[in-house]
């Protein structure tokens, strides 16, 4: 029996823009269990981003039920949502979204600050997270002193540092060249292998193929929810050697 | 609970850290914004130290008048009676003083006083526009005089109208810088006087031209003898009560006795006034109260303008960092943390501005002190710090609230 993390039943999201009601999500039901590797795909306007915001507890549905680890998120207050995001969800964004004035260590420490964890433990955990993404020699570099791939690694370390229930990555390779993108996908592969739950939001078939399961959205509905038969496993040795020549 | 306090402290620390970072990142902008607070705080503090300084000096000066002394005079210090009515009052004479003294039983001491503006000379130096007072040896009993040197003239000198003088500390300082005034001969109006005493410093009386340290006392007979004329036609009778508690009774008795001495019938109004320090104090407090309120209001306005500058720049800062706010919210910052962050930032800017303003105010008050007394209070320092913090928090409140209630989805999408 696998542990259920996300259980969505018939959620909808309606935005009112002026007098027009826009159904970003019409009727979506989805279940994601522990240690799954799911890609959410869809063209723009499919409701992909809205679903991601919902899964990431950045937004609440207009109707339907969203249970996160058996807790009803739909009814939560802003502060409760913030607490869930802090402890249970690790975000990885396309544009990295690091704080430009802070070094890598402080960026990774940030979620722990908001979790109220003491300075020495915080620094140690942040350091470990940076080591786990291969940035032990970049700890005190600021984002503008890092390459795109390295910045995304800092962002991944920041996502991992709280040991969240899910890693939610929104087009994580969108701003990277294909080689660096592949390295990042390898990192996600490893993170998943360690027992983490990874949710990937992308519009690229090639990236989605890294996941074990693909959920395809169209016009606010789930068009297809399928397992990937020929899953793409990143070439570890190639990626590692590339990483070393970096 | 402990955990919550810890969390709060972390957030405060993080807020402070972010504040310093952002001030460093926008040096010119922060400096200009701070300038408003610097000017505001320095003017408020300078104003309050100046007011306090004037107040201290006045209190010191007025205490030389004594709370237990009544001044029986033809003139009223404060009155609604028309000037001409006062002018038409009959003068108070030495004979009336003698009669009054023999009839009044409550006073500790009663002394006649008359005065004139004169110039006092010693060899080649002189002090102009001093108060030359004539009285008798009882005068010293109506005051709290202490002496740096010598004594007050005695009864014999007084009755014989001798040319002896007691001088104030400032005159002594000016004419005898080496402090050897005693037994020297000074000249006032061409007549020589021997100095028998030098008074201790009593403090300057900043409002008005009266300075208690700038006086010379000679026997009243001597002043009549050498400065005869209309200006000495009336005298003031200084009456000292036995204790401050008896001032009121002494005043009532003095009124009755003086009416008798002046031969007033029951239906006639008093043709004299009994003045006392209390009245002076009330009037002073009224005047200074107005100055204080007006001064603090005007300087407070400059602080207010500074606060508006802070508020403005905080709105800009929030707008600029919309994306950052989104990121912080996404990784779990609660509203309170964002609110705290921006409040901390504006409070830090204000506090820095306040401290600079305080330093400027202190330097300024040292300069002003050369012209008029100022008094830097320890409380003013804390008040300045408190006010600048409060200004920062109040000015930051609206921008910080805007930041705190941002929707994380919109904030993250903001470019």
């Amino acid at each position: 029996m696998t542990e259920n993390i996300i259980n969505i039943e018939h959620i909808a999201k309606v935005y009112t823009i002026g007098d027009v009601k826009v159904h970003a999500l019409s009727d979506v039901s989805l279940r994601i269990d522990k240690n799954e590797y799911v890609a959410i795909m869809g063209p723009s306007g499919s409701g992909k981003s809205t679903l991601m915001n919902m899964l990431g507890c950045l937004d609440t549905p207009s109707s339907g039920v969203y249970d996160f680890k058996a807790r009803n998120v739909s009814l939560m207050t802003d502060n409760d949502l913030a607490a869930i995001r802090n402890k249970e969800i690790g975000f990885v964004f396309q544009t990295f979204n690091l704080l430009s004035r802070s070094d890598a260590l402080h960026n990774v420490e940030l979620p722990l600050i908001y979790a109220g964890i003491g300075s020495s433990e915080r620094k140690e955990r942040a350091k470990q997270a940076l080591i786990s993404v291969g940035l032990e020699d970049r700890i005190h570099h600021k984002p503008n002193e890092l390459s795109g791939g390295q910045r995304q690694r800092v962002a991944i370390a920041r996502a991992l540092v709280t040991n969240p229930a899910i890693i939610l990555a929104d087009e994580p390779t969108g701003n990277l060249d294909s080689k660096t993108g592949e390295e990042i996908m390898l990192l996600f592969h490893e993170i998943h292998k360690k027992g983490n739950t990874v949710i990937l939001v992308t519009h690229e078939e090639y990236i989605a193929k890294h996941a074990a399961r693909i959920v395809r959205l169209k016009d606010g509905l789930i068009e297809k929810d399928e397992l990937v038969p020929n899953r793409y496993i990143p070439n570890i040795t190639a990626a590692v050697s590339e990483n070393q020549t970096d | 609970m402990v955990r919550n306090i810890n969390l709060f402290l972390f957030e405060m620390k993080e807020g402070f850290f972010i504040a310093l970072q952002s001030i460093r990142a926008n040096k010119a902008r922060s400096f200009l914004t701070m300038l408003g607070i610097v000017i505001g705080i320095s003017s408020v503090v300078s104003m309050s130290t100046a007011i306090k300084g004037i107040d201290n000096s006045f209190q010191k000066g007025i205490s030389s008048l004594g709370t237990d002394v009544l001044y029986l005079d033809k003139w009223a210090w404060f009155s609604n009676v028309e000037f001409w009515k006062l002018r038409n009052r009959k003068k108070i004479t030495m004979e009336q003083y003698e009669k009054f003294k023999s009839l009044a039983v409550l006073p500790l001491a009663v002394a006649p006083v008359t005065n004139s503006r004169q110039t006092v000379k010693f060899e080649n130096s002189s002090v102009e526009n001093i108060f030359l007072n004539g009285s008798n040896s009882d005068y010293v009993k109506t005051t709290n005089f202490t002496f740096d040197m010598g004594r007050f003239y005695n009864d014999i000198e007084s009755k014989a109208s001798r040319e002896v003088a007691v001088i104030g500390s400032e005159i002594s300082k000016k004419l005898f810088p080496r402090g050897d005034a005693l037994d020297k001969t000074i000249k006032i109006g061409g007549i020589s006087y021997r100095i028998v005493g030098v008074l201790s410093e009593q403090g300057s009386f900043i409002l008005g031209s009266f300075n208690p340290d700038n006086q010379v006392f000679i026997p009243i007979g001597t002043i009549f003898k050498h400065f005869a004329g209309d200006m000495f036609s009336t005298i003031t009778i200084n009456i000292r009560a036995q204790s401050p508690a008896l001032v009121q009774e002494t005043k009532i008795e003095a009124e009755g006795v003086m009416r008798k001495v002046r031969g007033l019938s029951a239906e006639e109004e008093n043709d004299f006034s009994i003045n006392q320090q209390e009245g002076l104090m009330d009037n002073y407090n009224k005047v200074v109260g107005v100055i204080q309120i007006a001064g603090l209001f005007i300087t407070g306005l400059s602080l207010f303008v500074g606060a508006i500058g802070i508020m403005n720049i905080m709105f800009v800062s929030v707008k600029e960092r919309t994306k950052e706010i989104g990121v912080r919210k996404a990784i779990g910052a609660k509203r309170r943390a964002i609110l705290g962050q921006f409040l901390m930032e504006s409070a830090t800017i204000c506090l820095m501005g306040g401290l600079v303003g305080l330093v400027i105010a202190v330097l300024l008050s040292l300069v002003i002190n050369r012209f008029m007394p100022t008094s830097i209070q320890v409380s003013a320092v804390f008040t300045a710090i408190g006010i600048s913090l409060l200004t920062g928090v109040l000015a930051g409140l609206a921008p910080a609230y805007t930041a705190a209630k941002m929707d994380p989805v919109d904030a993250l999408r903001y470019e």
Side-chain angles (χ1 to χ4, degrees):
Chain A
M1 176 76 195
T2 48
E3 188 193 334
N4 175 242
I5 303 231
I6 288 170
N7 191 25
I8 284 174
E9 278 169 25
H10 305 293
I11 62 162
K13 183 74 186 180
V14 183
Y15 294 105
T16 311
I17 302 167
D19 294 334
V20 188
K21 284 190 173 178
V22 180
H23 289 258
L25 285 179
S26 302
D27 182 1
V28 171
S29 297
L30 182 66
R31 185 190 154 99
I32 296 173
D33 293 333
K34 191 174 164 62
N35 199 22
E36 274 202 86
Y37 192 169
V38 184
I40 293 171
M41 281 203 73
S44 57
S46 60
K48 189 177 51 168
S49 297
T50 308
L51 181 60
M52 186 200 68
N53 290 339
M54 219 67 78
L55 291 174
C57 297
L58 288 165
D59 207 349
T60 49
S62 308
S63 65
V65 175
Y66 176 14
D67 287 329
F68 190 98
K69 283 176 120 180
R71 286 151 75 192
N72 188 352
V73 173
S74 334
L75 302 173
M76 281 188 180
T77 64
D78 275 8
N79 276 345
D80 292 337
L81 290 173
I84 292 252
R85 291 197 296 269
N86 183 241
K87 291 184 182 61
E88 308 285 9
I89 297 164
F91 286 97
V92 178
F93 302 96
Q94 179 177 357
T95 52
F96 324 131
N97 284 347
L98 299 175
L99 302 185
S100 56
R101 294 185 201 126
S102 302
D103 63 10
L105 185 69
H106 190 255
N107 264 293
V108 178
E109 268 185 79
L110 211 55
L112 300 177
I113 289 173
Y114 292 126
I117 289 164
S119 172
S120 54
E121 185 191 342
R122 206 165 65 204
K123 288 209 161 37
E124 189 49 41
R125 279 171 70 175
K127 211 177 271 178
Q128 287 306 322
L130 282 166
I131 291 169
S132 77
V133 297
L135 287 180
E136 53 273 25
D137 54 348
R138 294 284 187 273
I139 284 173
H140 293 296
H141 286 59
K142 291 196 172 158
N144 61 5
E145 300 160 340
L146 298 170
S147 70
Q150 287 168 336
R151 288 184 207 180
Q152 196 58 299
R153 282 168 190 271
V154 174
I156 293 170
R158 182 178 68 186
L160 287 172
V161 76
T162 55
N163 294 320
I166 60 169
I167 303 287
L168 190 56
D170 179 19
E171 303 278 11
T173 60
N175 274 24
L176 301 172
D177 61 67
S178 56
K179 193 182 97 182
T180 317
E182 193 58 26
E183 285 169 25
I184 294 297
M185 291 318 294
L186 172 62
L187 193 53
F188 279 116
H189 179 76
E190 285 167 353
I191 290 166
H192 172 238
K193 269 209 312 198
K194 283 180 194 161
N196 289 296
T197 311
V198 179
I199 301 172
L200 206 57
V201 179
T202 182
H203 66 275
E204 280 188 79
E205 195 68 40
Y206 164 73
I207 294 295
K209 282 273 168 61
H210 287 78
R213 174 184 165 197
I214 298 180
V215 176
R216 291 176 200 276
L217 283 176
K218 198 181 175 187
D219 299 330
L221 292 165
I222 292 180
E223 186 189 35
K224 225 184 226 176
D225 186 347
E226 57 185 0
L227 292 177
V228 181
N230 303 311
R231 206 181 141 204
Y232 185 75
I233 310 291
N235 186 335
I236 293 168
T237 48
V240 166
S241 64
E242 275 168 18
N243 194 20
Q244 279 165 348
T245 56
D246 190 18
Chain B
M1 189 60 201
V2 173
R3 206 181 129 76
N4 273 338
I5 291 168
N6 269 340
L7 185 58
F8 179 71
L9 289 177
F10 286 151
E11 285 171 2
M12 292 287 280
K13 213 172 123 191
E14 172 73 6
F16 185 64
F17 183 67
I18 299 164
L20 290 183
Q21 267 186 344
S22 101
I23 290 166
R24 226 180 301 145
N26 301 297
K27 283 191 198 79
R29 192 168 86 182
S30 306
F31 170 75
L32 291 174
T33 312
M34 234 176 253
L35 208 56
I37 297 297
V38 169
I39 292 167
I41 289 289
S42 57
S43 55
V44 169
V45 173
S46 307
M47 182 53 113
S48 65
T49 55
I51 289 171
K52 193 69 197 164
I54 292 168
D55 203 46
N56 282 354
S57 132
F58 182 86
Q59 298 290 355
K60 207 170 149 200
I62 204 172
S63 67
S64 69
L65 292 177
T67 52
D68 50 0
V69 181
L70 302 168
Y71 300 85
L72 204 166
D73 203 343
K74 172 178 162 179
W75 304 99
W77 288 355
F78 310 103
S79 124
N80 301 323
V81 179
E82 287 90 341
F83 173 75
W84 63 268
K85 277 191 184 162
L86 294 179
R87 197 193 55 196
N88 287 350
R89 285 173 170 181
K90 282 180 290 175
K91 63 184 183 180
I92 297 172
T93 62
M94 279 304 280
E95 291 74 44
Q96 285 170 3
Y97 157 72
E98 297 293 351
K99 258 191 217 163
F100 180 89
K101 192 185 173 186
S102 64
L103 288 171
V105 294
L106 283 176
L108 180 75
V110 180
V113 183
T114 184
N115 53 49
S116 154
R117 294 269 186 163
Q118 294 294 338
T119 297
V120 51
K121 287 182 187 156
F122 176 71
E123 290 174 351
N124 291 327
S125 41
S126 66
V127 184
E128 285 170 19
N129 218 14
I130 59 112
F131 272 94
L132 179 67
N133 297 285
S135 188
N136 62 18
S137 59
D138 284 341
Y139 181 79
V140 73
K141 294 183 206 155
T142 68
T143 69
N144 293 319
F145 283 170
T146 53
F147 292 82
D148 278 349
M149 280 179 281
R151 55 174 173 83
F152 208 75
Y153 45 78
N154 61 31
D155 200 34
I156 299 166
E157 288 162 333
S158 172
K159 286 210 168 104
S161 300
R162 296 222 181 119
E163 280 72 28
V164 287
V166 173
I167 63 173
S169 64
E170 204 167 306
I171 295 169
S172 166
K173 254 183 250 166
K174 281 179 185 161
L175 296 184
F176 307 96
R178 278 174 293 163
D180 52 355
L182 209 59
D183 285 329
K184 292 280 181 345
T185 303
I186 51 173
K187 283 199 170 186
I188 304 167
I191 309 292
S192 297
Y193 297 84
R194 187 170 61 91
I195 296 170
V196 296
V198 177
L199 296 173
S200 307
E201 191 180 328
Q202 295 177 68
S204 53
F205 200 126
I206 174 96
L207 295 181
S209 56
F210 176 69
N211 179 347
D213 293 323
N214 213 7
Q215 300 187 86
V216 172
F217 296 89
I218 60 173
I220 194 159
T222 315
I223 209 169
F224 285 140
K225 191 165 74 185
H226 298 303
F227 300 92
D230 267 354
M231 72 172 91
F232 298 114
S233 58
T234 187
I235 60 169
T236 302
I237 302 174
N238 290 13
I239 305 156
R240 186 175 198 174
Q242 286 169 23
S243 75
L246 289 171
V247 171
Q248 210 45 42
E249 284 176 51
T250 308
K251 190 176 180 177
I252 291 164
E253 188 207 42
E255 190 181 350
V257 169
M258 199 58 188
R259 285 182 69 86
K260 204 169 177 185
V261 168
R262 304 272 263 182
L264 299 175
S265 63
E267 61 271 18
E268 274 177 301
E269 283 178 23
N270 285 350
D271 62 349
F272 55 89
S273 295
I274 301 176
N275 301 305
Q276 62 189 109
Q277 182 201 330
E278 204 174 273
L280 198 59
M281 206 65 208
D282 288 349
N283 270 270
Y284 166 79
N285 284 341
K286 263 183 234 158
V287 171
V288 166
V290 170
I291 293 173
Q292 212 156 3
I293 290 165
L296 289 179
F297 178 75
I298 291 163
T299 52
L301 268 184
S302 70
L303 188 62
F304 182 68
V305 172
I308 290 174
I310 296 276
M311 193 186 282
N312 187 28
I313 218 67
M314 288 311 296
F315 271 122
V316 172
S317 182
V318 166
K319 191 84 185 163
E320 270 179 358
R321 280 145 72 188
T322 302
K323 186 119 186 180
E324 178 193 320
I325 293 164
V327 174
R328 286 180 186 274
K329 287 200 151 195
I331 62 175
K334 295 185 176 168
R335 284 184 174 198
R336 186 192 57 203
I338 302 292
L339 189 80
Q341 172 190 333
F342 284 97
L343 285 184
M344 200 73 187
E345 181 169 331
S346 80
T348 304
I349 293 176
C350 280
L351 187 61
M352 289 172 119
L355 291 175
V356 174
L358 194 61
V359 170
I360 290 175
V362 169
L363 295 177
L364 213 60
S365 80
L366 291 178
V367 174
I368 295 172
N369 210 1
R370 304 174 82 109
F371 313 108
M372 60 189 266
T374 58
S375 170
I376 302 153
Q377 308 283 305
V378 179
S379 67
V381 173
F382 289 109
T383 312
I385 292 170
I387 288 177
S388 46
L389 272 177
L390 187 71
T391 309
V393 170
L394 289 180
L397 213 51
Y401 183 70
T402 313
K405 73 173 199 337
M406 267 182 196
D407 179 46
V409 175
D410 293 338
L412 274 171
R413 212 183 284 145
Y414 184 86
E415 289 302 330

